[in-house]
Amino acid sequence: SVFTRAFSQANHTVPSFYSILRGRYPIHMSRKAILYRISEKSLLLPKIPKGEENHVLGVSNTFKDDPSPSLAETLEKNGYATLAYPNDRYSNYLSEVIGARKGFEINFTNDPKDKSKKATRFNDVKMTDMGIEAIHKYKDKPFFLWLHYYDHHSFEKRDTGKHWGHNSSVDLYDSGIYRVDEQIGRLVEALKKEGLYEKVLIAFTADHGCTFMLHKEMHGTDISQDQVHVPLIIKIPGAPKGKVLD
């Protein structure tokens, strides 16, 4: 089913994923600060304690110590293998420090060769490879697999075999979306190959939208439709196919 009026609970990654992974509103986040960037300035509630300014990477809130169980924790307790392969190459927004990995039995927060505990070191294609390997490995037991596609967020020029204009930010973003579509197609084919496609629940969504500088930032400035209106597609085993819900 396709939901045409789906909205994220925040205009930035961390508070939005708090809602996705915990099922709670961002206002319930348990730690000290929520930072929203506004043009060249920052609006911070509450103020960062003195001496911690250098630790702010754009968003300084965290839900690592939140007492509410995450989706991954709940599924793990019920016998599911829980696997996280989020591509978060340019930030620590989905790191262990933030709390996004809590409850995942297997996650690739860090490259095993990287001792600095920075963000992941693989692109969307490699992440899909890892996801397909997980599908083959865990095909005979219940599993929860989280893949977070990020390459299109960086607006890098890529050879996708498609030409989208004159390399504006929108063109590069469209190219990135095309590449994501290809990778999701690979995952679907892997599920079909293992005879799992009709048995699994698949949810496809995003943590926020993008303004393409209409509000002097890409996102994180306000709750306008272009920043919080997100795609939401859910495939439920046995449910009618092709529904569009407004």
Side-chain angles (χ1 to χ4, degrees):
S1 298
V2 177
F3 296 82
T4 62
R5 291 176 55 81
F7 297 90
S8 60
Q9 294 302 314
N11 59 14
H12 217 294
T13 299
V14 175
S16 182
F17 265 105
Y18 175 73
S19 293
I20 293 173
L21 296 174
R22 301 272 169 161
R24 307 186 78 200
Y25 290 115
I27 195 171
H28 296 300
M29 293 183 72
S30 61
R31 250 191 85 180
K32 61 196 178 201
I34 299 178
L35 174 66
Y36 293 98
R37 291 183 294 177
I38 299 180
S39 189
E40 298 299 322
K41 298 181 180 180
S42 297
L43 173 63
L44 182 63
L45 299 173
K47 185 178 180 180
I48 295 177
K50 188 175 181 180
E52 297 193 20
E53 295 86 350
N54 293 333
H55 299 294
V56 177
L57 299 175
V59 176
S60 60
N61 53 319
T62 171
F63 48 93
K64 183 178 181 180
D65 301 321
D66 191 278
S68 62
S70 69
L71 174 60
E73 288 176 291
T74 301
L75 291 175
E76 186 181 30
K77 288 179 181 178
N78 285 275
Y80 282 71
T82 52
L83 312 120
Y85 303 117
N87 178 6
D88 190 28
R89 293 189 296 151
Y90 302 102
S91 69
N92 284 310
Y93 292 164
L94 299 177
S95 68
E96 294 169 340
V97 174
I98 293 296
R101 311 305 179 93
K102 194 173 182 181
F104 285 100
E105 174 187 353
I106 297 175
N107 74 74
F108 281 76
T109 305
N110 309 305
D111 185 316
K113 297 179 182 179
D114 179 10
K115 304 303 181 182
S116 63
K117 294 188 177 181
K118 293 182 180 179
T120 47
R121 294 297 192 278
F122 49 83
N123 62 21
D124 284 353
V125 176
K126 176 61 177 175
M127 182 182 66
T128 304
D129 293 341
M130 297 163 76
I132 291 173
E133 290 175 11
I135 289 170
H136 295 324
K137 182 177 180 179
Y138 294 93
K139 62 182 179 180
D140 295 322
K141 69 173 295 185
F143 66 87
F144 171 45
L145 173 63
W146 170 31
L147 301 172
H148 178 62
Y149 288 93
Y150 192 89
D151 283 354
H152 58 286
H153 198 300
S154 61
F155 299 94
E156 295 176 357
K157 188 174 182 179
R158 297 177 182 84
D159 182 11
T160 61
K162 293 288 184 179
H163 301 284
W164 303 96
H166 302 288
N167 296 327
S168 68
S169 60
V170 176
D171 295 333
L172 294 174
Y173 197 78
D174 287 345
S175 178
I177 291 174
Y178 179 82
R179 185 174 180 175
V180 170
D181 186 73
E182 287 184 318
Q183 302 314 308
I184 292 173
R186 293 177 60 212
L187 289 169
V188 169
E189 287 303 312
L191 289 168
K192 289 181 177 179
K193 184 177 180 180
E194 295 293 354
L196 297 175
Y197 181 72
E198 297 297 336
K199 301 176 183 179
V200 299
L201 185 154
I202 301 174
F204 173 83
T205 190
D207 50 327
H208 58 74
C210 185
T211 74
F212 299 103
M213 303 307 290
L214 290 177
H215 303 276
K216 298 183 179 180
E217 288 268 358
M218 288 299 186
H219 65 87
T221 56
D222 55 52
I223 54 172
S224 57
Q225 174 128 327
D226 47 10
Q227 294 194 49
V228 296
H229 187 203
V230 296
L232 178 60
I233 304 172
I234 300 177
K235 185 197 80 67
I236 300 174
K241 299 179 180 179
K243 276 194 170 184
V244 178
L245 303 174
D246 187 1

